[in-house]
Amino acid sequence: MTRDEKKGIDYANKSLNGKSLILKKLSRRQALSTAGKVAIGVVVAGVVAGVSGYLAGSAAVPTTTIERTVERTVERTVTKTETVTVTGTAPPPTTVVTTPAPTTVVTTVVTTPTAVRFEGVELTVATQTGPYIAEPVYHWRDVWCQLTGAKAVNVVEIPYAELFEKIMLDLKVARTYDILIIPADWAGDIMGGGYVLPLDDFMKKYGFPGWEDVVPTVREKILSWGGKVYATPYDGDCHIFYWRKDALEVPEYQDKFKDQYGYRYNIPPKTWEEVLDIAEFFNGWDWDKDGNPDYGIAFCFRRGSQTPWYFIDIAAQYTVMPPEVPGKIDRYRGIFYFDPETMEALCDTPGWIEGFRLFREMLKRAPPGAINWSSGDLRTIFVSASPSCAMAVDWADIGVISVDPTISKVKDKLGFSRLPGAPRYYDREKGVWVEKFNQVSILNFGGWVGVISKWSKNPEAAYHLLTFLASPEIDIHDVCEGARKTGRNPYRYSHFTNIDAWVAYGGWSRESAEAYLKAIKSVYDDPNALTDLRIPGQPEYWDALDIAISEVLTDMRTPEDAAKWLKQQWEEITNKRGRDQQKRLYREMLGLPP
């Protein structure tokens, strides 16, 4: 089933004002029967019905019908008429009319019960250069404008390497952007800096679509700052572990590995040491029998890309002491970046040094040229099997791309899990290694979020657009439809439970979808999940870390020297920005008292 046909299927969701929108799902089995190829034009409106009324205010406006037509060819003929009834404010039932014919038109038109109007309003959205992250704004903006009467939604695309600098310049000087779709890691500078509006009052006045459906980790750790909500969810992010089933799960290869290494590896691998052994075993020979050499692991190593997040996947397992009470952080437990009492950088501690050492070893098990791979490179190479790699680490993007028939050679060949752990961790309080298994979930990057500039001339319209994009009726399409390259990953409970949507919209097999979503949800369910550094100066701290990693990978510094140099850099950044202020904000980030 193609993307546009899928949009004719509407699921029941909660509306923003708490009332249920009951949309009868148009059954593929009832409404569609296999036939010859026919062209189908689909007029899509049901996906916007659930978000049309929550910002309406006290006065109802005339009923609005949104129509959107897309042509495509499928091997289906529509043979049934369905009625879709909206329960809410008062319009008559909406009928979906399907007319069998050589060229069949399926019309799914849902009238909006009440709709807020922003006649003539023009909004400007700034985000990174697309397609990833920017694509959904382009995809839905015309629908939103038709729904609200807004004149236009303009999108300013900025290369990621320049995004922080140009956004901060606009916030301080030009003040032209209404909405910023930004990495959650920049919360300290942008939310803490007072450049964007808190959303609590908007939420009290207008509500928010399915707020309780957003997983608590995202609501509390990603969207909030200093006890206030500043952002709407846009993209849920964490790293998970991937493996090729046609490599790790082949009994012959398992037996050969045991013969060489003296033990049978776990599926999924339990520790990073185990990953290194498995990657070494699969490196440099044709294990997928395609006539070309294959390799052990796909990882991100390139300077100036996303490499620090991949390094942290390893280093945190050896550094972060598990809290004695789940979710309860103190000076020594649940801590990775700084000592929260002194703001001393911890990047020269033994766990960090072990992370540098193992990261360098990981590069030796990757294909030639992998030192130049960004995350985009690794996911494309891993999914297209060019060359084949037995394992990979990435955000959830590999999963959605793996079912894209235009690129993927690994559909239904992947396994998914939390990140591997470590056989030991360093106890900073006692100054000793603890020989005990440790597994740290990490909310790498924290995802992309939507915020409203405090200088926006149309903040209510901006809030309406952001919540429209974050509504369950809309975002389920964006997280499932990987071929669109939306860059949006799950962050709602319904994203994890609505397996039908992944099968129908994304083209997943049910088995693979369930395994993929289980892996991601296990990270969000972990009360001890580590967040990124989110204090002012985060890009500076991150750049210094990136330099240290690249110098270890190129043998310009030893792991010990790199850790020592990095600590000096972080201490200088902290002193420059004010140690007391940074400590206060760091503790605020961690949820510790001042």
Side-chain angles (χ1 to χ4, degrees):
M1 182 176 276
T2 62
R3 180 182 73 198
D4 301 302
E5 182 181 357
K6 296 158 197 165
K7 288 176 183 171
I9 300 175
D10 298 307
Y11 289 89
N13 288 289
K14 292 181 179 179
S15 69
L16 291 166
N17 60 10
K19 297 180 180 178
S20 296
L21 287 169
I22 304 173
L23 304 180
K24 186 177 180 182
K25 181 180 172 183
L26 182 61
S27 167
R28 286 188 300 161
R29 184 168 295 176
Q30 292 174 330
L32 302 173
S33 61
T34 302
K37 289 189 176 182
V38 294
I40 299 179
V42 180
V43 184
V44 180
V47 292
V48 302
V51 293
S52 59
Y54 73 96
L55 249 173
S58 58
V61 298
T63 297
T64 303
T65 300
I66 308 302
E67 295 191 354
R68 186 177 182 184
T69 303
V70 185
E71 294 288 337
R72 81 267 189 248
T73 300
V74 296
E75 294 183 357
R76 309 282 188 197
T77 297
V78 178
T79 60
K80 187 175 179 66
T81 297
E82 294 286 339
T83 298
V84 181
T85 302
V86 179
T87 301
T89 54
T94 300
T95 301
V96 178
V97 180
T98 62
T99 307
T103 298
T104 302
V105 176
V106 181
T107 303
T108 306
V109 178
V110 179
T111 55
T112 63
T114 57
V116 67
R117 305 295 288 177
F118 297 112
E119 299 291 347
V121 167
E122 194 166 344
L123 294 176
T124 300
V125 180
T127 192
Q128 76 164 0
T129 301
Y132 295 104
I133 304 302
E135 192 274 353
V137 184
Y138 287 110
H139 189 80
W140 296 110
R141 64 179 179 177
D142 290 345
V143 176
W144 182 79
C145 286
Q146 291 180 60
L147 176 69
T148 63
K151 178 181 178 181
V153 175
N154 303 309
V155 183
V156 177
E157 297 184 59
I158 304 169
Y160 182 79
E162 304 169 17
L163 186 60
F164 179 79
E165 179 184 354
K166 290 190 174 180
I167 279 178
M168 291 304 298
L169 183 64
D170 186 86
L171 289 171
K172 292 178 179 179
V173 182
R175 302 175 180 177
T176 59
Y177 304 147
D178 296 286
I179 292 172
L180 312 170
I181 298 176
I182 59 171
D185 283 357
W186 299 348
D189 284 288
I190 293 176
M191 298 178 194
Y195 294 107
V196 294
L197 296 174
L199 304 182
D200 303 80
D201 289 344
F202 290 100
M203 294 174 69
K204 290 176 183 177
K205 184 175 181 180
Y206 304 120
F208 188 92
W211 181 248
E212 295 302 319
D213 187 38
V214 178
V215 297
T217 304
V218 173
R219 292 200 314 261
E220 297 162 9
K221 294 187 175 183
I222 303 301
L223 306 180
S224 301
W225 182 266
K228 294 183 178 181
V229 177
Y230 279 90
T232 61
Y234 191 82
D235 163 46
D237 270 341
C238 63
H239 274 185
I240 60 174
F241 188 78
Y242 300 86
W243 69 91
R244 289 276 297 270
K245 292 181 179 181
D246 54 340
L248 271 67
E249 298 184 20
V250 176
E252 176 190 350
Y253 298 161
Q254 294 171 339
D255 293 340
K256 287 182 178 180
F257 178 91
K258 184 178 179 181
D259 290 342
Q260 292 183 32
Y261 292 86
Y263 71 95
R264 186 172 293 275
Y265 57 72
N266 295 286
I267 301 175
K270 188 175 181 180
T271 69
W272 284 109
E273 281 92 338
E274 192 175 13
V275 170
L276 284 173
D277 285 347
I278 298 170
E280 184 177 63
F281 172 78
F282 282 103
N283 207 45
W285 57 282
D286 184 18
W287 48 259
D288 69 354
K289 298 180 171 57
D290 67 350
N292 299 306
D294 305 316
Y295 298 92
I297 195 161
F299 235 70
C300 173
F301 297 106
R302 188 167 80 192
R303 164 84 172 102
S305 62
Q306 301 79 21
T307 299
W309 285 281
Y310 291 78
F311 164 79
I312 290 171
D313 289 340
I314 299 175
Q317 313 300 329
Y318 296 87
T319 303
V320 180
M321 291 177 62
E324 293 179 336
V325 177
K328 187 174 178 57
I329 293 173
D330 60 30
R331 181 177 184 179
Y332 297 103
R333 296 184 176 274
I335 301 299
F336 182 66
Y337 302 103
F338 296 93
D339 184 321
E341 298 295 327
T342 65
M343 203 57 191
E344 178 187 3
L346 302 179
C347 45
D348 66 340
T349 55
W352 276 74
I353 293 171
E354 186 71 355
F356 280 121
R357 186 186 71 80
L358 293 178
F359 201 69
R360 182 176 60 185
E361 291 300 309
M362 204 67 67
L363 177 60
K364 298 176 183 178
R365 276 85 169 164
I371 196 169
N372 295 314
W373 287 5
S374 68
S375 63
D377 296 325
L378 89 83
R379 63 181 62 126
T380 300
I381 289 168
F382 184 71
V383 167
S384 64
S386 56
S388 290
C389 296
M391 298 171 289
V393 171
D394 190 28
W395 284 277
D397 300 86
I398 277 180
V400 292
I401 298 172
S402 73
V403 297
D404 179 357
T406 65
I407 184 175
S408 178
K409 295 181 180 179
V410 297
K411 182 180 179 181
D412 295 331
K413 293 182 180 181
L414 300 184
F416 316 92
S417 74
R418 289 175 62 190
L419 294 173
R424 60 193 177 279
Y425 61 86
Y426 188 73
D427 185 332
R428 188 164 52 87
E429 183 178 18
K430 297 178 180 179
V432 297
W433 283 100
V434 177
E435 298 297 326
K436 185 178 180 180
F437 177 69
N438 191 38
Q439 189 173 24
V440 180
S441 299
I442 306 173
L443 298 172
N444 309 71
F445 196 77
W448 292 78
V449 298
V451 295
I452 303 171
S453 169
K454 67 182 294 184
W455 289 282
S456 171
K457 295 178 181 179
N458 297 287
E460 290 192 350
Y463 180 74
H464 189 283
L465 175 58
L466 283 175
T467 49
F468 171 81
L469 292 170
S471 63
E473 294 84 0
I474 297 299
D475 64 14
I476 189 65
H477 291 268
D478 292 349
V479 300
C480 294
E481 295 176 9
R484 280 174 44 206
K485 297 180 173 60
T486 68
R488 299 186 77 177
N489 296 147
Y491 56 80
R492 288 184 176 276
Y493 284 119
S494 56
H495 293 164
F496 298 111
T497 58
N498 193 352
I499 306 299
D500 288 344
W502 292 87
V503 175
Y505 299 172
W508 289 74
S509 68
R510 182 167 292 274
E511 179 183 2
S512 289
E514 288 175 345
Y516 168 74
L517 294 169
K518 180 181 178 181
I520 300 170
K521 189 172 183 293
S522 70
V523 177
Y524 286 125
D525 286 345
D526 185 353
N528 300 327
L530 180 70
T531 60
D532 278 357
L533 187 65
R534 302 176 71 214
I535 61 175
Q538 188 272 351
E540 296 176 73
Y541 291 114
W542 231 238
D543 188 57
L545 172 57
D546 197 18
I547 293 171
I549 295 167
S550 70
E551 292 187 345
V552 169
L553 294 178
T554 55
D555 293 323
M556 294 176 64
R557 293 183 188 269
T558 65
E560 293 79 6
D561 288 343
K564 182 178 179 180
W565 176 85
L566 180 59
K567 180 174 183 176
Q568 292 174 345
Q569 299 302 305
W570 278 22
E571 292 290 330
E572 289 179 10
I573 295 167
T574 299
N575 289 335
K576 179 180 68 176
R577 287 185 168 266
R579 185 168 297 271
D580 289 343
Q581 173 180 291
Q582 293 294 86
K583 185 177 78 170
R584 175 179 61 80
L585 293 171
Y586 181 58
R587 293 180 66 86
E588 195 171 273
M589 180 197 102
L590 295 172
L592 294 173

